[in-house]
């Protein structure tokens, strides 16, 4: 069972949002005050992107298109794990 599947089962009543293509970078669910979000490892997300682009392109794409995309309540969060 994947982290994504476990999260969907455990939080089935909460419409958490997932970042497409980054399932292997899921750390868990974060909470800030009354807001929950799926938490991802930044470094792992960039590594996933580097499979199809250079490191500089992956970093720019990640920060502009992924981190910079607010899609409402339950928008995923990204953690710098190092």
């Amino acid at each position: 069972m994947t982290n994504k599947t476990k999260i969907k089962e455990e939080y089935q009543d909460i419409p958490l949002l997932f970042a497409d293509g980054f399932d292997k970078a899921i750390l868990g669910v974060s909470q800030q005050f009354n807001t929950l979000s799926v938490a991802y490892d930044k470094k792992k997300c960039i590594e996933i992107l580097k499979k199809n682009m250079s490191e500089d392109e992956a970093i720019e794409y990640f920060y502009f298109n992924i981190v910079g995309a607010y899609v409402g309540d339950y928008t995923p969060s990204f953690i710098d794990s190092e």
Side-chain angles (χ1 to χ4, degrees):
M1 187 177 297
T2 66
N3 282 346
K4 185 175 183 177
T5 303
K6 288 178 187 177
I7 290 168
K8 283 184 172 184
E9 287 179 1
E10 189 171 337
Y11 296 92
Q12 59 187 323
D13 295 334
I14 301 169
L16 294 172
L17 301 174
F18 293 86
D20 292 337
F22 296 101
D23 291 356
K24 292 185 178 189
I26 293 174
L27 294 171
V29 176
S30 66
Q31 181 173 5
Q32 183 177 3
F33 190 57
N34 289 330
T35 303
L36 297 174
S37 66
V38 177
Y40 291 84
D41 183 307
K42 285 182 181 183
K43 185 176 180 179
K44 287 182 182 178
C45 289
I46 291 170
E47 290 299 318
I48 290 167
L49 289 170
K50 283 172 49 178
K51 292 177 183 176
N52 296 313
M53 55 186 75
S54 73
E55 183 171 9
D56 288 342
E57 291 171 327
I59 291 168
E60 181 179 350
Y61 184 89
F62 175 73
Y63 282 102
F64 186 79
N65 295 293
I66 309 297
V67 174
Y70 178 76
V71 290
D73 291 342
Y74 309 108
T75 294
S77 58
F78 300 90
I79 297 173
D80 194 354
S81 62
E82 291 184 5

